[in-house]
Amino acid sequence: MLDTHDRSDRFHEECGVVGIYGHPDAANLAYLSLYALQHRGQESAGIVSSNGQALLAHRGLGLVADIFDERQIRRLEGTSAIGHNRYSTAGSTVLRNTQPLVARYTYGSLAVGHNGNLVNADELRLRLEHQGSIFQSTVDTEVILHLIAGAQAPTLIDRIIEALAQLRGAYSLVFLTENAMVAARDPYGFRPLVVGRIQDGDRQTTVVASETCAFDLIGARYERELEPGEVVLCTSQGLQSYKPFPREPLSRCVFEYIYFSRPDSKLYGKSVYQVRQAFGRQLAREAPVEADIVIPVPDSGVPPALGYAQQADLPFEMGLIRNHYVGRTFIEPRDAIRHFGVKIKLNAQADVLRGKRIVVVDDSIVRGTTSRKIITMIRSAGAREIHMRISSPPTVGPCYYGVDTPKRRELIAANQDVEAIRRYITADSLSYLSQAGLYVALQQSQAGFCDACFTDRYPVPLGERPKGSQLALFELDR
Ligand code: AMP
C-alpha cells in the first residue's frame, strides 16, 4: 500500500461517498463516516447538509481531520447530510473539483457526490455546452447536475432517473436536496454502495456509504447493498426503491477485494479480510516455495500474507515496519539524499530478515517501482533469498471505472512478461495469483465481476474523447 504512484497525467478518480438522512447530528455522522472512508481518497473532502430550507457546504483539500473542525460541523446544521472523499489529479484546479458539488436550479438546490468514472462524460459535456451549459468544474459529476437541471420530468426522482439513463460507465451516487436524499448505483454495479439504519427509540436514520466500515464507526446496522441499477429515495415519508433501468451484466469491481476496500468492510456479502486471506492461501497452493518466513508489504499485503503463511505452514513475521504518519504534505528530500526513497514509509528489520529465505506478499504490482525498492531494501537487510508473491493476477489494463491506475504504457505487466518483471524487481522468484485462482478463492464465478485490469475485457468500452471542449471555470467555494 505504498503511495509511490506518480499521480500526474491521470483523470481517473478514487472516491468514497456517504449519506445520512433523519438524524439531528447528520453532519457529524457524515464526518465520522468520511473518516472511516479516508483510504478511498485523501486529497479532498466535503460535506453538504440540509436544514430544510437551504443546503450548507464545507469542502477543502487534504485529509478529513484537517478540513473540518467543530465550528464547521456545527455550522452544517440540519438532519440530513452527504459527504465525499476524493483523490484527484494534483493542480491548481483541485478545489473547484471538490465534491459534493452543489447547484441551484429551477426546483431549488441539489448536491451530489460521485464515486466512479463515466465513460461518456466528455460526449455529454460537449452536447450540454453546445446547448448553453457553463461548467464550473472538470469532474464528470458536474455533467449529472446539468442533465438533471435540464430534465423535463415533474418530480425529483424522475428528473434524476432521466439524467442517469443518459450516463454510461460507473457511478455510485448520493444526492441531497432541501428535503430529500437519493442514492443510486449504476446498472453494472461497478462500485459498491451499501444501505444501513440507525434505530434510536422511534427515530430511524437511513445511511448509505461506499463501505460498511463507515457503519461500524457510527453505530449503524448494515441492511443490504444497493442493487445495480437501483435508485433509492429518502424523504420524510420513508424510503422508496426504484429499478428503472434495463438489466446489464453484473460487473462488480474485483479490485475492491484485492486492494481498495478496507479489510474490515463487508463487500458484496463477504468479509474483505477473509477474502484476502483466501487469496493468500490460494497463492500458496499455486506458487509454493522453500522458505523460512513469510512477510507482508504492510498494510495491503497483511491479510494475503497471513493466508499464505497458514497454507504453507511457515512463520508469519513483520519484516517491514510502516510509518503511519507519512502524509501527503511530506517534503520530498533533495536529490542528494533521495536514496532514502521507500525507507520513509517502510523500514526493513534486519534482525528478522538476516540470512533468511523470505516470501514477500503484496496485493499488486502496478509499475513495479515499489516492489523493486522493497526488494533492494530487504536484500540489503541481509535476506538470503527473496520470493515475491502477488495476491492478484498481473495488472494489464488501466481502470476506466474509478480506480486510479496509470496509463497502459506505465503498467509493467501490460508490457513485460513475468520473467522480465522478476528481473526488473530483482526477486529470486515471482508469482502472481492466477485468474482462475482468484475466483476459486472467492468461491464465485467470474461472471459477476469486472476484472478488466487483469483481463483487458471492459464491460463498457471507453468511447472516443471528443475534442474542443471549452470550459468556463470559476471557484465554487467561498
Ligand atoms: P507500483 O510501485 O506502481 O508497482 O505500486 C504497487 C503498490 O501500489 C502496491 O504496494 C499496491 O498495494 C499499491 N497500489 C495498487 N493499486 C493502487 C492504487 N490504485 N492506488 C494506490 N496504490 C495502489
Side-chain angles (χ1 to χ4, degrees):
M1 212 179 104
L2 280 176
D3 197 10
T4 54
H5 287 214
D6 171 7
R7 304 286 197 153
S8 57
D9 198 25
R10 311 244 187 107
F11 74 104
H12 305 297
E13 288 167 21
E14 299 172 340
C15 304
V17 293
V18 54
I20 313 285
Y21 191 88
H23 197 286
D25 295 318
N28 213 327
L29 294 182
Y31 166 74
L32 289 169
S33 304
L34 289 182
Y35 214 97
L37 297 175
Q38 184 73 83
H39 61 289
R40 297 185 73 87
Q42 299 96 42
E43 282 223 342
S44 68
I47 295 175
V48 175
S49 73
S50 166
N51 63 9
Q53 264 95 52
L55 297 187
L56 305 157
H58 183 70
R59 289 162 289 207
L61 302 180
L63 297 176
V64 175
D66 301 329
I67 296 168
F68 298 96
D69 61 25
E70 263 184 75
R71 193 178 52 87
Q72 277 130 8
I73 299 287
R74 260 203 312 277
R75 194 179 66 79
L76 295 173
E77 56 187 22
T79 56
S80 55
I82 60 170
H84 188 267
N85 273 335
R86 173 168 191 263
Y87 168 73
S88 69
T89 47
S92 59
T93 60
V94 168
L95 186 57
R96 73 173 65 91
N97 289 338
T98 297
Q99 298 190 35
L101 299 181
V102 188
R104 278 198 64 78
Y105 72 128
T106 328
Y107 298 97
S109 303
L110 181 63
V112 62
H114 174 203
N115 174 210
N117 269 106
L118 306 177
V119 301
N120 66 339
D122 291 355
E123 212 175 290
L124 292 170
R125 180 184 281 255
L126 209 56
R127 194 189 84 204
L128 288 160
E129 282 174 347
H130 284 148
Q131 292 166 355
S133 296
I134 294 174
F135 280 78
Q136 301 184 23
S137 77
T138 54
V139 290
D140 292 3
T141 316
E142 198 184 344
V143 167
I144 305 172
L145 288 179
H146 284 274
L147 289 174
I148 295 172
Q152 300 301 315
T155 62
L156 172 73
I157 194 74
D158 287 334
R159 282 193 294 277
I160 289 180
I161 289 169
E162 190 179 319
L164 299 187
Q166 299 173 65
L167 307 180
R168 284 180 58 69
Y171 56 83
S172 281
L173 293 162
V174 285
F175 296 95
L176 190 69
T177 70
E178 285 85 350
N179 47 36
M181 182 174 86
V182 174
R185 193 168 172 211
D186 69 70
Y188 292 81
F190 280 110
R191 308 249 66 90
L193 195 60
V194 288
V195 194
R197 223 167 267 279
I198 305 170
Q199 187 78 45
D200 189 1
D202 284 346
R203 190 184 64 222
Q204 270 216 356
T205 305
T206 303
V207 293
V208 292
S210 296
E211 290 182 41
T212 62
C213 62
F215 293 173
D216 296 339
L217 184 57
I218 63 174
R221 186 166 41 83
Y222 166 77
E223 289 212 324
R224 63 182 183 88
E225 298 206 4
L226 234 75
E227 283 179 36
E230 184 178 359
V231 185
V232 165
L233 171 69
C234 297
T235 62
S236 52
Q237 316 297 308
L239 198 136
Q240 266 176 289
S241 165
Y242 300 79
K243 286 169 197 156
F245 307 118
R247 278 179 86 94
E248 300 288 356
L250 185 59
S251 309
R252 296 163 301 175
C253 171
V254 84
F255 198 66
E256 290 275 352
Y257 271 140
I258 288 156
Y259 170 81
F260 206 42
S261 287
R262 241 170 72 157
D264 51 337
S265 284
K266 191 171 169 166
L267 177 72
Y268 318 141
K270 283 179 190 255
S271 145
V272 173
Y273 174 78
Q274 287 174 350
V275 164
R276 286 183 189 163
Q277 273 196 316
F279 289 157
R281 282 196 296 274
Q282 180 65 19
L283 186 57
R285 282 190 283 268
E286 291 182 2
V289 63
E290 285 270 316
D292 302 309
I293 56 171
V294 177
I295 69 164
V297 176
D299 295 327
S300 52
V302 173
L306 274 167
Y308 192 104
Q310 286 158 5
Q311 181 68 33
D313 204 13
L314 287 171
F316 172 92
E317 296 281 2
M318 294 299 288
L320 296 165
I321 301 297
R322 180 169 174 183
N323 179 341
H324 285 272
Y325 304 96
V326 181
R328 274 165 196 273
T329 47
F330 174 75
I331 303 159
E332 283 282 323
R334 294 205 202 132
D335 276 351
I337 50 172
R338 242 187 230 290
H339 62 269
F340 280 130
V342 74
K343 281 194 188 167
I344 289 152
K345 282 184 180 159
L346 290 175
N347 192 16
Q349 303 210 72
D351 291 334
V352 175
L353 304 169
R354 199 177 299 113
K356 302 260 173 51
R357 297 167 301 172
I358 296 160
V359 176
V360 184
V361 182
D362 201 359
D363 68 285
S364 57
I365 295 179
V366 182
R367 293 160 193 253
T369 45
T370 304
S371 306
R372 187 180 157 97
K373 285 177 187 162
I374 285 170
I375 289 173
T376 307
M377 196 162 71
I378 296 173
R379 190 119 26 219
S380 38
R384 184 144 64 92
E385 288 173 19
I386 303 171
H387 302 281
M388 193 78 194
R389 295 293 180 268
I390 302 297
S391 63
S392 66
T395 304
V396 294
C399 179
Y400 302 139
Y401 315 122
V403 172
D404 178 38
T405 38
K407 292 190 177 353
R408 188 179 302 272
R409 64 180 139 79
E410 292 161 31
L411 293 173
I412 192 165
N415 302 292
Q416 303 196 44
D417 64 16
V418 174
E419 171 53 19
I421 300 171
R422 183 199 65 75
R423 278 201 305 275
Y424 175 73
I425 66 172
T426 72
D428 295 296
S429 76
L430 166 67
S431 293
Y432 289 86
L433 182 62
S434 69
Q435 278 179 32
L438 181 71
Y439 295 101
V440 169
L442 268 175
Q443 298 178 311
Q444 287 189 49
S445 90
Q446 188 176 10
F449 292 97
C450 172
D451 54 11
C453 50
F454 305 132
T455 59
D456 235 351
R457 285 195 294 273
Y458 291 87
V460 181
L462 185 70
E464 284 283 296
R465 287 170 78 79
K467 298 212 167 58
S469 175
Q470 303 282 318
L471 303 182
L473 299 173
F474 47 96
E475 296 297 335
L476 268 174
D477 277 32
R478 290 148 290 274

